[in-house]
Amino acid sequence: MAAVLTPEITGATDANSAQALVLKAESKNFNFFYGAFQALKNINMPIYDRKVTALIGPSGCGKSTYLRSFNRMHDLYPGNRYEGEIMMYPDSVNILAPTIDPIEVRMRISMVFQNPYPFPKSIFENVAYGLRVRGVNKKSVLEDKVEEALRGAALWNEVKDRLDSLAFNLSGGQQQRMCIARALATDPEILLFDEPTSALDPIATGAIEELVHDLKERVTILIVTHNMQQAARVSDFTAYMYLGEMIEFGVTDTIFVKPKHKATEDYITGRFG
Amino acid sequence: MASTLEAQIKAVPTVLTEGRESGRLAFKFSRNIKERIIEGLLFLAAASSVLTTFGIVYILVSESWQFFKAVPITAFLTDTQWTPLFADAHYGILVLLCGTLVTSFVALLVAVPMGTIIALYLSEFASFRVREFAKPVLELLAGVPTVIYGFFALLFVSPILQFFFPNLPGFSMLSAGLVMGIMIVPYISSLSEDAMRAVPMALREGSYAMGATRFQTALKVVTPAAFSGIAAAYILGVSRAVGETMVVAIAAGMQPNFTLNPMEPAATITSYIVQVALGDLPHGSIGYQTIFAAGLTLFLITLAFNILGYILRRKYKESY
Amino acid sequence: MATAELNRDLSAIRRLIAKAKRYDLAFSAVGFLFLAFGILVFTALLVDMAVSGAGRLSLDFFANFPSRRAEGAGILSAWVGSVMVMLVTAAFAIPFGVAAGVYLEEYARKNWFTDVIEINISNLAGVPSIVYGLLALGLFVYQFGFGQSVLSAGLTLALLILPIIIVATRESIRSIPQIIREGSYALGATKWQTTSHHILPYSLPGILTGVIIGLSRAIGETAPIITIGALTFIAFLPPSPITSSPPYFNFEWLASGFTVMPIQMFNWTSRPEEAFQANAAAAGLVLIVMTLSMNAFAIYLRYRLRKNIKW
């Protein structure tokens, strides 16, 4: 289902629309509560298919909270409440509905966390974990998928000879790429990145950013980052959030050059945050 | 002006030659002595633990030394009879070891699965209220004196078992072992649960984010991550089972019996020592010395397990 | 790609999840059942004691000596003996245990000897109680010449529960934040002043809890006391520590023969006559009530006092 570019999107021009943007997901009047505290206020944001959307904003603005709503991570802890909808296309289903099983959502939407936490298993078993959970146990199938995922994460050449060694022994950057491979192995429709490079050195960061650029051809990406330059480098669309609200959403190039709202401009130029 | 500044600086004396001399120096010296004495006393209290171990090793070794002068160690380790109080005395520790082995095995057969499953359940599945209720109850279970467990085994569990196994004698290793197992469950479950709860939530999130269920996460991620702590719990459970005295003394009978069949009565190392202590053996006789030889064997076995458990526990505390 | 197709096939995903959730539910049920079984056994134990023994509980039971006639037998010598032995145990274990805990937490430097001490304590906690009995028999009873007395028993049990008290003291001290110590030192206090004015008072609740748990363990210990040679049929009491003539207080009771509650129960359990079994159950009931209430009190204390602490 193709969607039309709405005028509120900063930087929307006919040139963009020529690329036939397709809506993969969108949040509609989405509010979120940690107990009595309202962390997200009325978020309406489109997520376009096979594009990278970045969420930026100062600490505490709610960007991680928003991200973690997409794969229903909040369901793991008591006292949290969703209001509003997050629709996923092409099925047009609200993934926040109580009738929808969070496990099902997590099987279609994968996440890469800030700190790489490899499971205490071998590299092969780490990447294959998602497949095993889905009941795929045939060795040949697993081997193919693991290789494909590790290639997709640009890690294959470095680990192909030691797939059976413990994942703990990899460097930080390698561990994070392995976590990306782990998330990729199950062919997710949307890939969520929660500050994926804040624990990594600049070289590893660069490798991951390049990866994101390559991955977007296959999968929709939503990335939270507190590093604005990173957002400018990797994303197609950017959303600026502050205190639980979405202040501005638009094409990255335009937002960083000519943002519509003063609040956005203040944050981007470093006058604030 | 530079020159006047220099002049001003030169005018200030560089060494403080005037001022009140404090008398606190003397005070400090005596205070120091008092501190040192107190520290010494506290140190002695701490070092007394080392003295205790020395005492144990000394008494066990010195009395066993006397024993081994009369009985060759090869006979001790290989003889298949234990009849130290007969005219034709045999001193084969294997007989007692057998009893210890079988009762401990039965106990662990009960305690390890039950303790681990309870730990997993409390750590990963149970609601807050269930956990708040269950943990103190398990702690209380561990506080019941062992003589009461012995009574329970002999007069409650044995008759029930005899209902299912009519040929079961009144004293049996099965009955003692089963009750010992229940007794050890709180040790294994509480240590295992501590190890599981030490696994960081982030690791579980990684698993849930892949679409895993609670059971899959508990089995495939939490348990391997907590493994060394769980292994430490098992080892300490073994040590506890091997060293247990009253339950086996009361419920397993005190007849040395070289058998692997749990449905028979038998004596363990610990129940043998009790039997001798209940009787009247003259100090210094070889009968008296046998309990130290047996005790030395027991001490060495539990020492080995304790050290292993200590190493494993240190390992799991480090990894997270 | 198999999984890509799988993702689109929602009904297949749902069946997979449903199957996995069945395991979830099954394990949850099994875990709860095992837990319930454990608690059930505990309850059965309590009920068994109560049913078999409650009939024998009476004032006479507490005031009579054991005798060959089951109906007239009582636990007088046993519970008096237990109290006396506990006094000795507490008198040795508390000062030594707390002092050792304070030293290890506040004074000890990180060297090899401290490691040795710590490994020692950890090991002693796992030594079977009967080995302590052997130590006492060889050393206290014979070599030191204390004989089969209240003193020997008290010392043995003190050594047994020392690790418990040391660990409780250390954990309690460890929970005091560094800021408190720094505040004290910054005002010019010495180490001992800081320890005695701040560390000890603030860690007292935790220490108290450990002491109670240790003593409740000591009351129930049978094996080491049997090994020393506690008499199982005594029809006399140790001499009273308090006398009506000067010097009003003596130590003769320390050297006396004695018996304790768990041994009395053990002795009665070993008798085949059913009447004695009822006595054993009654003694067991008293013992269980004593230890459980001490344990429960300690748990409650730990909970209550923790609430008042603001760190």
Side-chain angles (χ1 to χ4, degrees):
Chain A
M1 197 198 315
V4 183
L5 291 173
T6 54
E8 297 98 298
I9 298 180
T10 308
T13 62
D14 287 333
N16 302 131
S17 66
Q19 287 172 42
L21 287 171
V22 175
L23 205 57
K24 180 62 192 169
E26 68 180 330
S27 57
K28 292 185 176 173
N29 303 324
F30 175 51
N31 294 280
F32 183 81
F33 297 83
Y34 285 116
F37 170 67
Q38 182 166 13
L40 293 174
K41 304 182 177 107
N42 207 17
I43 312 271
N44 288 285
M45 192 191 304
I47 310 286
Y48 292 109
D49 188 35
R50 276 178 261 196
K51 296 285 176 208
V52 180
T53 307
L55 300 172
I56 61 173
S59 290
C61 67
K63 44 193 202 292
S64 273
T65 308
Y66 182 61
L67 191 82
R68 286 160 71 94
S69 307
F70 273 82
N71 68 345
R72 304 274 296 257
M73 273 284 129
H74 297 298
D75 288 42
L76 293 176
Y77 304 97
N80 298 333
R81 193 171 89 242
Y82 307 99
E83 262 180 28
E85 299 178 324
I86 295 185
M87 305 295 294
M88 195 156 112
Y89 303 110
D91 324 3
S92 295
V93 64
N94 173 20
I95 58 180
L96 298 177
T99 48
I100 299 287
D101 189 352
I103 298 187
E104 190 184 309
V105 173
R106 293 177 202 136
M107 286 204 171
R108 299 170 66 183
I109 302 182
S110 284
M111 179 176 254
V112 176
F113 297 84
Q114 179 173 350
N115 287 309
Y117 257 101
F119 299 137
K121 298 172 187 301
S122 67
I123 298 174
F124 183 86
E125 283 302 327
N126 260 279
V127 180
Y129 184 74
L131 296 164
R132 288 200 190 272
V133 161
R134 282 160 179 70
V136 178
N137 279 315
K138 243 175 80 166
K139 195 152 193 280
S140 51
V141 175
L142 285 176
E143 284 177 355
D144 287 338
K145 292 294 305 182
V146 166
E147 181 178 337
E148 190 189 322
L150 285 169
R151 280 189 193 282
L155 192 60
W156 175 251
N157 286 327
E158 290 167 56
V159 302
K160 65 178 181 226
D161 299 323
R162 44 175 173 144
L163 289 176
D164 285 327
S165 65
L166 281 179
F168 284 136
N169 297 326
L170 296 173
S171 74
Q174 286 173 324
Q175 280 184 4
Q176 189 64 307
R177 272 179 286 152
M178 189 200 73
C179 289
I180 295 178
R182 191 168 76 184
L184 276 181
T186 53
D187 297 309
E189 298 170 43
I190 302 181
L191 196 47
L192 308 169
F193 284 92
D194 193 352
E195 303 204 30
T197 59
S198 57
L200 302 176
D201 62 79
I203 295 182
T205 301
I208 301 246
E209 287 182 9
E210 219 182 284
L211 200 55
V212 170
H213 187 81
D214 295 334
L215 285 175
K216 77 173 178 194
E217 314 207 350
R218 300 161 42 182
V219 71
T220 308
I221 294 181
L222 189 54
I223 177 169
V224 163
T225 176
H226 66 261
N227 181 342
M228 278 183 293
Q229 289 75 22
Q230 181 173 83
R233 284 192 294 261
V234 305
S235 67
D236 302 304
F237 293 90
T238 301
Y240 169 60
M241 293 179 67
Y242 179 60
L243 288 184
E245 291 181 11
M246 189 183 80
I247 307 291
E248 190 168 345
F249 176 87
V251 176
T252 299
D253 292 336
T254 316
I255 277 215
F256 278 93
V257 168
K258 240 176 75 143
K260 269 215 204 117
H261 296 253
K262 181 148 194 325
T264 317
E265 190 182 334
D266 284 346
Y267 179 71
I268 287 173
T269 54
R271 216 172 286 145
F272 161 78
Chain B
M1 298 282 285
S3 52
T4 44
L5 192 60
E6 274 175 41
Q8 276 176 342
I9 290 175
K10 283 216 178 84
V12 171
T14 48
V15 172
L16 205 62
T17 50
E18 293 173 14
R20 195 160 51 120
E21 215 170 75
S22 101
R24 287 169 75 78
L25 236 65
F27 180 31
K28 192 168 162 220
F29 184 69
S30 70
R31 202 170 6 135
N32 220 2
I33 292 273
K34 180 176 164 205
E35 288 288 311
R36 288 295 182 86
I37 293 179
I38 290 181
E39 183 174 342
L41 288 175
L42 294 176
F43 172 75
L44 281 178
S48 66
S49 67
V50 181
L51 278 177
T52 311
T53 308
F54 271 157
I56 292 178
V57 172
Y58 166 70
I59 199 73
L60 288 177
V61 168
S62 66
E63 295 287 347
S64 304
W65 184 256
Q66 302 293 325
F67 173 80
F68 283 120
K69 279 208 258 185
V71 178
I73 194 161
T74 43
F76 183 68
L77 292 176
T78 56
D79 202 331
T80 55
Q81 279 184 292
W82 178 267
T83 52
L85 307 172
F86 286 9
D88 169 30
H90 283 264
Y91 304 96
I93 194 78
L94 280 183
V95 179
L96 297 180
L97 266 179
C98 223
T100 303
L101 200 78
V102 174
T103 48
S104 305
F105 182 70
V106 172
L108 289 169
L109 215 58
V110 168
V112 165
M114 204 162 143
T116 316
I117 290 183
I118 288 182
L120 255 179
Y121 174 71
L122 285 178
S123 162
E124 306 293 313
F125 286 82
S127 70
F128 181 71
R129 267 185 306 159
V130 169
R131 208 182 302 133
E132 286 296 293
F133 173 73
K135 290 213 71 165
V137 171
L138 285 175
E139 233 181 288
L140 287 178
L141 204 70
V144 173
T146 53
V147 64
I148 292 185
Y149 276 112
F151 174 93
F152 185 61
L154 183 68
L155 296 173
F156 187 83
V157 174
S158 263
I160 291 184
L161 285 177
Q162 279 170 327
F163 177 73
F164 290 108
F165 304 107
N167 293 329
L168 193 72
F171 296 114
S172 69
M173 293 197 273
L174 183 66
S175 155
L178 288 178
V179 172
M180 211 158 64
I182 299 277
M183 199 176 74
I184 296 180
V185 163
Y187 290 92
I188 294 190
S189 80
S190 103
L191 280 172
S192 301
E193 197 205 328
D194 284 346
M196 289 172 194
R197 308 217 74 199
V199 174
M201 192 62 199
L203 208 64
R204 289 185 187 83
E205 280 192 5
S207 174
Y208 286 129
M210 312 232 58
T213 60
R214 255 200 291 195
F215 183 56
Q216 285 166 330
T217 303
L219 202 64
K220 297 188 188 202
V221 172
V222 176
T223 308
F227 180 68
S228 49
I230 298 178
Y234 291 167
I235 303 267
L236 292 169
V238 171
S239 172
R240 188 79 187 71
V242 164
E244 172 49 38
T245 314
M246 294 320 293
V247 177
V248 290
I250 295 179
M254 295 204 241
Q255 278 297 99
N257 190 359
F258 193 27
T259 174
L260 288 177
N261 180 4
M263 311 261 243
E264 293 183 41
T268 63
I269 296 181
T270 47
S271 68
Y272 171 70
I273 299 178
V274 166
Q275 186 186 41
V276 168
L278 283 175
D280 235 340
L281 276 181
H283 172 54
S285 68
I286 191 156
Y288 171 82
Q289 284 154 358
T290 54
I291 61 176
F292 288 93
L296 181 63
T297 317
L298 182 70
F299 180 70
L300 289 174
I301 297 177
T302 50
L303 184 69
F305 280 122
N306 286 339
I307 292 184
L308 193 57
Y310 179 77
I311 295 177
L312 281 173
R313 237 180 330 169
R314 275 263 281 257
K315 213 177 116 192
Y316 102 74
K317 283 214 176 106
E318 275 170 11
S319 41
Y320 286 111
Chain C
M1 294 184 247
T3 45
E5 284 157 13
L6 187 63
N7 287 349
R8 309 293 175 263
D9 182 3
L10 279 176
S11 61
I13 286 190
R14 294 212 174 111
R15 260 178 294 143
L16 190 70
I17 296 179
K19 184 170 145 201
K21 282 196 166 176
R22 275 199 288 271
Y23 280 103
D24 238 27
L25 205 65
F27 184 79
S28 207
V30 167
F32 184 76
L33 276 169
F34 273 27
L35 187 65
F37 180 68
I39 298 182
L40 186 73
V41 170
F42 181 55
T43 321
L45 191 139
L46 289 177
V47 167
D48 184 37
M49 289 285 138
V51 162
S52 314
R56 292 285 305 124
L57 284 180
S58 66
L59 221 53
D60 279 346
F61 188 65
F62 285 93
N64 284 357
F65 289 112
S67 91
R68 253 169 229 105
R69 282 170 33 257
E71 308 79 51
I75 52 172
L76 180 65
S77 39
W79 71 261
V80 168
S82 274
V83 168
M84 288 188 160
V85 171
M86 280 304 115
L87 284 175
V88 178
T89 305
F92 279 98
I94 298 179
F96 269 87
V98 174
V102 167
Y103 176 78
L104 286 170
E105 281 301 306
E106 295 290 311
Y107 286 82
R109 284 158 222 95
K110 281 252 166 242
N111 55 25
W112 64 273
F113 195 62
T114 309
D115 281 341
V116 166
I117 296 182
E118 291 192 339
I119 294 183
N120 243 304
I121 294 176
S122 169
N123 180 50
L124 284 175
V127 168
S129 54
I130 199 160
V131 173
Y132 282 98
L134 289 175
L135 167 72
L137 182 62
L139 222 53
F140 295 149
V141 173
Y142 287 116
Q143 289 215 5
F144 289 179
F146 294 152
Q148 299 173 323
S149 62
V150 170
L151 182 63
S152 296
L155 284 177
T156 316
L157 291 177
L159 284 180
L160 186 74
I161 68 173
L162 211 53
I164 300 179
I165 298 190
I166 294 180
V167 167
T169 308
R170 292 191 71 179
E171 303 257 331
S172 194
I173 292 181
R174 216 175 280 168
S175 68
I176 299 177
Q178 201 57 13
I179 290 273
I180 303 272
R181 291 183 186 85
E182 288 182 5
S184 175
Y185 289 132
L187 290 168
T190 65
K191 196 156 207 163
W192 174 244
Q193 284 171 331
T194 305
T195 305
S196 56
H197 296 155
H198 297 280
I199 305 290
L200 276 178
Y202 303 154
S203 56
L204 218 50
I207 296 179
L208 200 60
T209 309
V211 166
I212 295 178
I213 292 186
L215 287 178
S216 94
R217 167 95 189 270
I219 282 192
E221 275 298 331
T222 326
I225 314 285
I226 291 187
T227 317
I228 297 178
L231 309 169
T232 54
F233 182 83
I234 63 167
F236 63 88
L237 288 180
S240 168
I242 303 174
T243 50
S244 47
S245 54
Y248 295 115
F249 191 80
N250 69 48
F251 287 107
E252 275 173 35
W253 55 286
L254 284 174
S256 156
F258 68 103
T259 186
V260 289
M261 285 290 303
I263 291 198
Q264 193 58 69
M265 182 182 174
F266 172 64
N267 174 257
W268 279 335
T269 310
S270 314
R271 306 271 196 95
E273 298 96 5
E274 237 189 81
F276 278 114
Q277 283 167 16
N279 284 1
L285 197 58
V286 174
L287 193 57
I288 242 190
V289 166
M290 272 184 352
T291 49
L292 282 191
S293 43
M294 284 172 86
N295 263 312
F297 181 60
I299 295 176
Y300 168 74
L301 207 66
R302 184 169 62 202
Y303 172 71
R304 263 314 301 280
L305 292 169
R306 207 83 231 345
K307 280 210 312 189
N308 294 338
I309 295 177
K310 285 176 189 70
W311 59 66

